[in-house]
């Protein structure tokens, strides 16, 4: 058992939100420490933006942030906007560059962002306790602790398997392997929970922060995968696996007793044998996952794909008729050459109940064109599931924002407790919004703590 470590502020979780909080507090002269379950801080940053780290976006509105109370994100955005985040990155020594409104480090490497954060923490002498998993937190009772009102934190320090031992086995483990562990404890006046959610294939993305927050009195909105692939049992998917095509994606949720809800996105869709993926699918996935979480009480969930979103159905039908007239000898499967991928053309013809291997000229061209144009504009997949948290980019759900201050994200139930980042019930769409939420929630918490200590913030 190591001796108890004491700090003014303990930040549990050294991801984007936790590191941002700690840096601002340290710059303000606060004794702050980071407690991180992984072997280095900012590990999840390495996978963001396909390894390029898209950390914010010029386009900001309420639709970019989801949750039961997205207005909290919009309120914070008034204080911690895009120029604020860019200024913070500049102080870290990161040169930002913009492409179509998306902001990245000029290096194009997420690893350089993680390294810049780590360097700044070192420069500020912020202790980072890595390989340390927090198991429990309790609040001191001032009447029983000589008037002290802080937090006791119990954790497990894990000792990674040595590199030499790993060489002997001849195998490199996908996740950290520990040779031993022992108990450690911390004591802090303020506690910031920045543990993240369940999403991502990294050690520490285990949802343990929900249990800690719940133990301190908070309601947890059940977490579900978001920005994740969707499953369907449609038989045609095996033949379509690997096909990429641009389409309008309409998610239809017929919730029992709650009416119907529709969510639309547009972009490249990727077919897989289990279902569909691609940015527009992932953008609407959190709504499907939320309904699926109801189990037997879940309503009907469908995806409608429109492969010609810029053309009305009647206009598409007339175009098909003109193609039949222009190529009367062509088989039905050949009619869509140059319009759609061949595998998709066959699937659409089968969906419409039309033969693929005979010419379209049969005296029923109008019926053929009408049926096929409808399928092209309304290709339907019943959604029966999602990929799990390992494949998800973010978690939807978390600590109920009505129990946190909209100004600082301080708990309204436990004094001097703050909840930031993915652990709170905000999830963003693709495009840098989840990282912007991570940073601005960390800024808000740091500013709130500094104000309580009579210090100035950013």
């Amino acid at each position: 058992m190591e001796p108890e470590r004491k700090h003014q502020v303990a930040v549990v979780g050294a991801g984007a939100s936790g590191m941002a909080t700690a840096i601002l507090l340290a710059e303000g002269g606060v004794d702050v420490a980071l407690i991180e379950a992984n072997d280095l801080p900012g590990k999840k940053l390495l996978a963001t933006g396909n390894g390029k780290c898209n950390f914010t976006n010029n386009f900001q509105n309420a639709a970019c942030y989801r949750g039961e109370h997205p207005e909290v994100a919009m309120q914070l955005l008034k204080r911690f906007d895009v120029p604020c985040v860019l200024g913070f990155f500049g102080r870290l020594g990161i040169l930002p560059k913009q492409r179509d409104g998306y902001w990245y480090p000029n290096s194009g490497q997420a690893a350089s962002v993680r390294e810049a954060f780590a360097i700044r923490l070192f420069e500020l002498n912020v202790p980072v306790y890595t390989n340390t998993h927090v198991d429990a937190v309790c609040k001191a009772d001032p009447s029983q602790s000589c008037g002290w009102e802080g937090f006791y934190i119990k954790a497990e320090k894990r000792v990674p398997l040595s590199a030499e031992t790993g060489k002997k086995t001849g195998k490199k483990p996908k996740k950290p392997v520990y040779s031993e562990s022992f108990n450690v404890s911390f004591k802090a006046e303020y506690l910031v929970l920045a543990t993240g959610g369940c999403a991502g294939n990294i050690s520490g993305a285990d949802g343990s922060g929900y249990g800690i927050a719940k133990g301190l009195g908070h309601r947890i909105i059940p977490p579900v995968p978001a920005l994740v692939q969707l499953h369907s049992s449609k038989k045609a998917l095996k033949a379509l696996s690997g096909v990429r095509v641009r389409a309008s994606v309409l998610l239809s949720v017929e919730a029992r007793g709650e009416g119907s809800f529709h969510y639309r996105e547009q972009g490249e869709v990727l077919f897989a044998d289990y279902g569909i993926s691609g940015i527009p699918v992932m953008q609407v996935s959190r709504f499907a996952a939320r309904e699926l979480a109801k189990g037997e009480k879940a309503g009907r969930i469908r995806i409608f794909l429109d492969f010609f979103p810029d053309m009305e159905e009647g206009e598409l039908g007339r175009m098909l008729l003109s193609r039949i007239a222009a190529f009367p000898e062509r088989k039905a499967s050949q009619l869509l050459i140059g319009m759609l991928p061949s595998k998709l053309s066959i699937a659409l013809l089968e969906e419409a109940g039309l033969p693929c291997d005979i010419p379209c000229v049969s005296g029923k061209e109008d019926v053929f064109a009408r049926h096929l144009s409808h399928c092209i504009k309304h290709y339907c997949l019943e959604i029966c599931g999602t990929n799990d948290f390992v494949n998800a980019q973010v978690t939807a759900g978390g600590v109920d924002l009505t129990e946190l201050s909209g100004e600082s994200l301080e708990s309204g139930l436990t004094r001097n407790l703050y909840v930031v980042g993915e652990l709170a019930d905000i999830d963003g769409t693709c495009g840098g919004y989840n990282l912007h939420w991570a940073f601005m929630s960390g800024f808000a918490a740091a500013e709130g703590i500094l104000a309580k200590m009579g210090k100035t913030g950013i």
Side-chain angles (χ1 to χ4, degrees):
M1 185 76 178
E2 284 195 341
E4 184 177 74
R5 310 289 179 88
K6 298 179 182 180
H7 298 280
Q8 283 180 292
V9 182
V11 180
V12 182
S17 60
M19 290 191 296
T21 306
I23 287 171
L24 290 183
L25 288 172
E27 288 177 343
V30 175
D31 169 26
V32 56
L34 281 162
I35 307 173
E36 169 57 41
N38 280 298
D39 56 350
L40 77 167
K43 199 163 188 176
K44 192 174 179 181
L45 274 173
L46 298 175
T48 58
N50 290 322
K52 296 180 181 179
C53 196
N54 170 208
F55 60 86
T56 189
N57 198 303
N58 283 342
F59 178 77
Q60 298 277 346
N61 71 12
C64 301
Y65 300 94
R66 280 93 175 259
E68 290 195 1
H69 295 280
E71 67 275 7
V72 173
M74 297 311 297
Q75 189 66 28
L76 290 182
L77 193 60
K78 294 177 182 179
R79 291 157 53 206
F80 309 113
D81 55 9
V82 173
C84 176
V85 171
L86 293 177
F88 175 71
F89 267 58
R91 298 210 311 274
L92 297 179
I94 298 168
L95 178 64
K97 71 174 178 182
Q98 182 254 141
R99 187 175 71 242
D100 299 327
Y102 294 67
W103 285 95
Y104 301 85
N106 195 63
S107 65
Q109 296 179 316
S112 63
V113 175
R114 193 214 69 79
E115 187 176 5
F117 270 88
I119 290 171
R120 187 61 181 144
L121 290 167
F122 178 78
E123 291 170 344
L124 292 166
N125 296 313
V126 176
V128 183
Y129 301 101
T130 56
N131 293 312
T132 304
H133 189 278
V134 173
D135 297 317
V137 173
C138 65
K139 184 77 185 288
D141 182 349
S143 65
Q144 302 295 321
S145 56
C146 302
W148 188 74
E149 195 191 352
F151 297 87
Y152 294 107
I153 304 163
K154 295 182 179 179
E156 181 185 48
K157 175 69 174 179
R158 298 166 176 174
V159 180
L161 199 67
S162 71
E164 289 301 317
T165 306
K167 288 179 182 177
K168 292 176 183 177
T169 64
K171 295 181 179 179
K172 184 179 179 180
K174 293 182 178 180
K175 288 192 175 183
V177 176
Y178 303 99
S179 59
E180 60 177 312
S181 64
F182 53 89
N183 295 329
V184 294
S185 61
F186 300 86
K187 189 176 179 180
E189 298 171 39
Y190 296 82
L191 177 66
V192 181
L193 292 181
T195 57
C198 306
N201 188 22
I202 64 168
S203 176
D206 56 6
S208 57
Y210 302 124
I212 296 171
K214 189 174 182 180
L216 292 169
H218 281 276
R219 170 180 174 248
I220 306 299
I221 295 164
V224 297
L227 299 184
V228 70
Q229 303 84 359
L230 296 178
H231 289 193
S232 175
S233 57
K234 199 176 188 76
K235 291 181 180 179
L237 287 170
K238 288 187 177 180
L240 287 171
S241 182
V243 171
R244 293 176 180 269
V245 62
R246 288 192 63 81
S248 171
V249 177
L250 176 68
L251 174 70
S252 172
V253 178
E254 298 174 17
R256 296 183 183 180
E258 300 177 30
S260 298
F261 305 91
H262 299 90
Y263 310 93
R264 189 184 296 274
E265 293 285 344
Q266 189 167 316
E268 187 179 69
V269 173
L270 170 63
F271 287 93
D273 55 2
Y274 62 79
I276 51 174
S277 183
I279 289 178
V281 173
M282 297 174 81
Q283 298 280 49
V284 301
S285 62
R286 60 106 59 211
F287 303 108
R290 181 62 68 207
E291 186 66 21
L292 288 163
K294 296 178 182 178
E296 294 181 355
K297 296 182 180 180
R300 190 180 188 187
I301 308 168
R302 289 178 293 173
I303 286 279
F304 292 94
L305 298 175
D306 179 355
F307 301 110
F308 274 80
D310 298 326
M311 187 178 288
E312 295 294 331
E313 188 171 327
E315 184 184 359
L316 177 61
R318 289 190 293 274
M319 186 180 76
L320 291 174
L321 282 173
S322 68
R323 288 175 72 87
I324 293 171
F327 308 107
E329 301 301 320
R330 287 189 179 180
K331 298 177 182 178
S333 59
Q334 298 170 331
L335 184 70
L336 300 180
I337 288 176
M339 288 179 62
L340 292 167
S342 57
K343 290 182 179 179
L344 179 58
S345 298
I346 293 171
L348 288 167
L349 287 164
E350 291 176 348
E351 182 83 359
L354 301 171
C356 298
D357 54 356
I358 62 172
C360 302
V361 177
S362 61
K364 296 182 179 180
E365 291 88 345
D366 286 347
V367 175
F368 177 96
R370 187 169 63 252
H371 285 184
L372 184 54
S373 61
H374 181 79
C375 285
I376 291 173
K377 296 285 290 181
H378 305 279
Y379 190 66
C380 180
L381 294 92
E382 295 277 350
I383 302 302
C384 58
T386 73
N387 274 3
D388 57 22
F389 280 109
V390 167
N391 303 113
Q393 292 184 19
V394 71
T395 305
V399 175
D400 186 348
L401 288 172
T402 62
E403 299 174 346
L404 304 177
S405 162
E407 291 291 316
S408 66
L409 300 179
E410 181 181 9
S411 168
L413 308 176
T414 303
R415 179 178 160 84
N416 295 341
L417 169 67
Y418 296 77
V419 179
V420 300
E422 193 177 344
L423 185 60
D425 178 36
I426 288 287
D427 56 288
T429 60
C430 294
Y433 300 104
N434 286 293
L435 278 181
H436 192 105
W437 165 250
F439 297 133
M440 71 178 175
S441 62
F443 296 168
E447 197 172 71
I449 294 171
L450 289 168
K452 277 195 167 189
M453 292 182 173
K455 300 175 183 289
T456 57
I458 59 174

